[in-house]
Amino acid sequence: MAEFSIIDTYFNRQNKNSVDLGVGDDSALLTPPLQQQLVICADTLVAGRHFPLDTDPHAIGWKSVAVNLSDIAAMGATPHSILLALSLPQIDHDWLKAFSQGLYDCCDQFGVSLIGGDTTQSPHLTLSVTALGWVEIGKAVPRSGAKPGDLICVSGTVGDAAFALNHLGHPLQKRLDYPTPRCQLGTALKGLANSMIDVSDGLAQDLGHILKASQVGAILALEKLPISPALQALNDEQRWQYALAGGDDYELCFTISPQNYEKLLQKHLDVSISIIGTIQQQHGLTFEKDGVDHSLQFNGYQHFA
């Protein structure tokens, strides 16, 4: 089967939202909505590096989309469409059918269209997705807006995916294979949050990116970390290692003033929110347990480790 036959068979479906020209031409065409900025991100997944080699292809398809939509959500933007660059060692029709179904299942749930991309042969299975979204001009939520006195919040629970990676077959594996991009929360935080990031490389490391960009520090309360029951059964050090350094959670970590947090609570959110600390003027990330300083050293996920 030639490249174009693969595209026509598995990746050429009618778009569900406004696309002027999609799959099948040299480039896609979109008309930007009035008074909106284009938000763009890209992410690459490599077999054996970002997911186990025997991962269900449906899950790979879902995750390849979800991790990019998470980045769009972290800007407070609404996702619109994706581009897919797929490198395959060989043509496996069963794999392609399941993979494309997983990709489209995620697209459908979040109102996203596949509008183009590329396929090629490679010794290694590699997927690169570029996601596009829209946000009102000046309304995007960057990493650089955290202010002293802000509350530090995180959605959902943290550490589940890292725990699942070390306990394959555990019920929490669904959190590893099928992450949920917090798109509804991301748009709800537009105009309320001062800074935001998605938790992909570990909560401590990703919060550190906010602190560096905003030139502030933080106090994080270890006892307030939102932890699943499976991780609650571990000792403190193991639990905190997963929660703070595990990565692959794709929850949103954001900072918000106490006044705007009260406004956020009035919205109908589809995920729980936990306050885990506060932003301070003094630089650095300080950990506390029950109000007492607690020394911890964590390294998040490193792409070139």
Side-chain angles (χ1 to χ4, degrees), residues 14 20 27 31 75 89 113 179 199 212 219 250 255 263 274:
Q14 185 174 0
D20 299 323
S27 298
T31 300
M75 299 300 293
S113 294
V199 181
K212 182 178 180 180
I219 299 174
Y250 299 101
T255 75
K263 295 178 183 178
S274 300

Side-chain angles (χ1 to χ4, degrees), residues 73-119:
M75 299 300 293
T78 300
H80 178 272
S81 47
I82 62 166
L83 300 160
L84 168 68
L86 178 62
S87 299
L88 296 166
Q90 62 200 22
I91 296 173
D92 181 331
H93 293 288
D94 290 337
W95 190 95
L96 282 165
K97 182 178 180 181
F99 169 80
S100 60
Q101 187 61 57
L103 178 144
Y104 278 123
D105 283 347
C106 190
C107 285
D108 288 346
Q109 182 162 328
F110 297 97
V112 169
S113 294
L114 173 65
I115 61 171
D118 189 33
T119 58

Side-chain angles (χ1 to χ4, degrees), residues 19 23 25-26 32 53 69 89 104 111 139 159 204 213 239 243 257 266 305:
V19 176
V23 174
D25 220 301
D26 290 319
L53 294 174
L69 300 191
Y104 278 123
K139 294 293 186 180
R239 185 165 62 244
S257 70
Q266 297 171 18

Side-chain angles (χ1 to χ4, degrees), residues 144-160:
S144 57
K147 297 176 173 58
D150 276 1
L151 305 175
I152 303 169
C153 302
V154 69
S155 63
T157 54
V158 288
D160 296 343

Side-chain angles (χ1 to χ4, degrees), residues 1 18 47 59 61 94 104 131 137-139 145 165 174 195 198 218 223 250 257 278 282 288 303:
M1 178 178 281
S18 58
D94 290 337
Y104 278 123
I137 293 174
K139 294 293 186 180
L165 185 61
K174 187 173 183 180
S195 66
D198 81 319
E223 74 278 5
Y250 299 101
S257 70
T278 56
Q282 183 179 350
E288 289 185 353
H303 294 270

